[in-house]
Amino acid sequence: MAQPWRGVIPEYREWMPFGSDVAAVTLGEGGTPLVHSAWLSEIVRGDVFVKVEGDNPTGSFKDRGMTTAISVAVAQGAKAVVCASTGNTSASMTAYAARAGLTPIVLVPHGRIAAGKMAQAVMHGADIIQVRGNFDDCLDLSRGLAKEYPVALVNSVNPMRIEGQKTASFEIVDVLGRAPDLHVLPVGNAGNITAYWKGFVEYHEAGVAPSRPKMWGFQAAGSAPIVLGRVVPDPDTVATAIRIGNPASWTLAENARDESGGRIDSVTDEQILAAQRQLGAHEGIFVEPASAAGVAGLLAAAEAGQVEPGLTITITVTGHGLKDIDTPMSRVGSIVDTAIDADVDAAAEAAGLR
Ligand code: AN7
């Protein structure tokens, strides 16, 4: 009988910096599909695989790091947890806190949080506090609360988040049987690029993978502090998940870039929305705008002749498209192409079958 996937702590416990005294608070996260993309493979003249992180329990990669952060918080006796969020962290945190019986406190920036993500936090029973400021202000507040009050901070500055999120790299190597030549992903607060690099490095050092990939990260042009080399005080992009002007893991992301011989670049909102739509139409994978930043970056690099042929490339799409339907749909004119009576011939006519 097939063995069901058990969640990232049970599956990768020997790679965690904690012992069996930490019980896993899990929703069965991880074990997400690595889908071959014929479309992108042809464009880059290599082999491209998409790691579909929207298939996690709350619809984003955050679940990998939340199972570890919440499990450890519970083991340490926490009663309440706090996070700043552009949406996905709060959706994930509130779900895992609900399972663990912890009180979740969510700090979100004023406006611009996708409705689906807010709905998740509400349904998981969170106290939602809207801050008159941006994500970076929320993160400062979140840190301040955790310092002065008995609440555990579960943003990616909590090292347990990185420990959980690194398992995505393990899964990629486990499935491919080797590390990719190049790994591509979006960058916001820069926790995930840090985590992926840690995972690839650990597998390499342990001899599981004979090589490590170059890391390519992409920020949104209006929120590209690492690319610009300075804090962006008022970040702006349709990709609200990565609307972050002062990433917490800035230096660690630069390390991942430099140690791997990679790059961190930016893509415009137009490139992001085009990539989102193309991925949906060519591959059947519907991702949220931020998640398309990596795809947009790879497409731009291929167009500029910066992708050498013959590479094995993996690309993480971080969150599910259903979380934010307003952004893409606002670009679509009318949803309905043709209205007809309930008649087979009329339907065939409208569908171009005759
Ligand atoms: C879909 O939820 O920061 O570079 O507060 O939701 O590790 O921050 C979300 C980030 C990419 C960027 N894609 O990852 C939050 C939050 C999606 C995201 C990122 C986020 P990091």
Side-chain angles (χ1 to χ4, degrees):
M1 206 169 80
Q3 186 75 20
W5 182 263
R6 297 166 298 166
V8 300
I9 295 177
E11 294 290 342
Y12 291 109
R13 196 179 265 282
E14 67 274 27
W15 299 90
M16 295 297 146
F18 48 78
S20 53
D21 50 317
V22 173
V25 178
T26 179
L27 284 161
E29 61 293 316
T32 55
L34 187 67
V35 179
H36 185 259
S37 169
W39 165 59
L40 289 169
S41 297
E42 191 183 321
I43 289 172
V44 305
R45 291 180 293 147
D47 258 316
V48 183
F49 297 84
V50 182
K51 183 70 169 157
V52 186
E53 288 290 280
D55 280 26
N56 275 294
T58 76
S60 86
F61 71 98
K62 303 285 182 183
D63 296 340
R64 294 179 183 276
M66 214 48 80
T67 182
T68 41
I70 296 287
S71 299
V72 169
V74 169
Q76 291 175 345
K79 298 280 176 272
V81 280
V82 64
C83 73
S85 184
T86 57
N88 280 324
T89 298
S90 58
S92 182
M93 178 191 91
T94 54
Y96 285 80
R99 279 186 84 69
L102 300 175
T103 302
I105 305 165
V106 170
L107 300 170
V108 295
H110 183 69
R112 311 283 298 272
I113 303 279
K117 301 175 187 177
M118 291 310 289
Q120 290 180 286
V122 171
M123 296 316 288
H124 296 312
D127 281 334
I128 296 168
I129 303 167
Q130 193 179 69
V131 177
R132 284 187 284 275
N134 58 32
F135 169 83
D136 306 288
D137 301 317
C138 293
L139 185 56
D140 287 345
L141 267 186
S142 180
R143 286 171 138 146
L145 275 182
K147 207 165 144 205
E148 290 170 39
Y149 296 89
V151 293
L153 176 67
V154 296
N155 279 106
S156 58
V157 292
N158 176 334
M160 290 310 130
R161 283 278 310 279
I162 305 300
E163 294 299 325
Q165 286 174 213
K166 76 184 179 188
T167 60
S169 297
F170 296 166
E171 289 176 18
I172 287 171
V173 175
D174 288 346
V175 168
L176 291 181
R178 54 164 287 203
D181 300 306
L182 173 62
H183 186 79
V184 187
L185 78 177
V187 173
N189 212 25
N192 214 26
I193 190 170
T194 301
Y196 269 81
W197 181 237
K198 187 167 200 282
F200 285 128
V201 167
E202 286 186 8
Y203 254 24
H204 179 242
E205 282 175 357
V208 181
S211 63
R212 319 183 299 194
K214 288 184 163 61
M215 301 293 293
W216 283 14
F218 290 94
Q219 303 196 289
S223 310
I226 300 176
V227 181
L228 298 170
R230 58 174 168 78
V231 170
V232 175
D234 197 9
D236 187 35
T237 169
V238 291
T240 53
I242 53 172
R243 191 170 157 238
I244 295 174
N246 188 12
S249 300
W250 190 319
T251 313
L252 293 168
E254 288 177 338
N255 288 351
R257 177 194 65 194
D258 298 341
E259 285 173 18
S260 75
R263 61 191 272 198
I264 297 179
D265 245 306
S266 64
V267 284
T268 65
D269 282 0
E270 293 316 314
Q271 289 175 304
I272 286 172
L273 292 171
Q276 177 189 31
R277 200 148 181 196
Q278 287 175 292
L279 189 65
H282 287 291
E283 298 297 358
I285 301 169
F286 181 27
V287 302
E288 64 169 287
S291 305
V295 179
L298 183 64
L299 288 171
E303 178 127 345
Q306 295 161 352
V307 186
E308 58 180 286
L311 300 182
T312 296
I313 301 172
T314 51
I315 174 160
T316 299
V317 291
T318 43
H320 204 289
L322 289 174
K323 283 171 171 280
D324 174 11
I325 58 169
D326 296 332
T327 303
M329 291 313 284
S330 70
R331 309 282 168 131
V332 175
S334 150
I335 299 174
V336 175
D337 289 321
T338 320
I340 56 162
D341 290 326
D343 173 79
V344 170
D345 290 337
E349 183 87 28
L353 295 174
R354 56 181 234 163

